[in-house]
Amino acid sequence: MSRPWWMAGVPFTCQPDCGKCCDEPGGIVYLRPEDAKIMASHHEMVVEEWLERDCRQTLDGRWVLKSDPVTEVCIYLDEDKKCTTYQARPAQCKSYPFWAENVRSDRSWKKTVSECPGLESEVAFIIDGDTIRRKILDDRDASRGFREWPPKRM
Ligand code: SF4
């Protein structure tokens, strides 16, 4: 199998005061069981209560973060476009823009570059290939999600 193009490293630095990737009406954040534990602990809640309060289940039963009923963006994004749970944010948020669906094709990557100013920033740092691979795997893991608590897998 040939080496993926991103293994050579990709320049990226998340831009302060941007928040574009979170400010996406209808966006879905899938969760790994580890994410639910970290988020619940961050909010000083037990996981079941946190899931009930801040999450919902998709039609196929996977737990995802709730969106604001009016704006349809993530409930944790405040008026200044800042994440109010940044320190505990789920893996899928941490791994953006290096999602499996974004690096899948030239076309999807070009779209991602057009949407994320951090990929064209003049002050971007090179993210090395191993780090990118970890992010892609975390995103895939999160997309599989979990449907019950406690989950069958951890
Ligand atoms: S769109 Fe890119 S630069 Fe903007 S907040 Fe998201 S990751 Fe950072």
Side-chain angles (χ1 to χ4, degrees), residues 12-22 96-97 115-119:
F12 167 69
T13 299
C14 184
Q15 304 298 289
D17 305 323
C18 174
K20 261 180 89 178
C21 55
C22 315
Y96 185 85
E115 291 169 349
C116 172
L119 289 165

Side-chain angles (χ1 to χ4, degrees), residues 39-79:
M39 289 287 273
S41 162
H42 179 76
H43 290 95
E44 299 179 353
M45 299 173 83
V46 297
V47 175
E48 289 87 343
E49 283 170 1
W50 176 75
L51 287 171
E52 196 57 41
R53 190 189 72 173
D54 289 357
C55 300
R56 66 179 177 85
Q57 284 180 285
T58 57
L59 286 178
D60 68 6
R62 285 175 289 177
W63 285 100
V64 298
L65 293 184
K66 261 184 194 164
S67 298
D68 181 281
V70 177
T71 63
E72 290 184 27
V73 300
C74 177
I75 54 168
Y76 293 123
L77 196 66
D78 71 12
E79 287 170 1

Side-chain angles (χ1 to χ4, degrees), residues 106-121:
D106 201 34
R107 191 170 163 194
S108 55
W109 186 247
K110 276 188 181 141
K111 182 170 179 288
T112 306
V113 171
S114 74
E115 291 169 349
C116 172
L119 289 165
E120 295 212 302
S121 164

Side-chain angles (χ1 to χ4, degrees), residues 83-121:
C83 176
T84 57
T85 190
Y86 188 81
Q87 297 305 328
R89 71 199 188 287
Q92 208 158 45
C93 306
K94 282 187 197 158
S95 58
Y96 185 85
F98 302 107
W99 287 352
E101 67 184 67
N102 293 349
V103 299
R104 188 175 43 200
S105 68
D106 201 34
R107 191 170 163 194
S108 55
W109 186 247
K110 276 188 181 141
K111 182 170 179 288
T112 306
V113 171
S114 74
E115 291 169 349
C116 172
L119 289 165
E120 295 212 302
S121 164

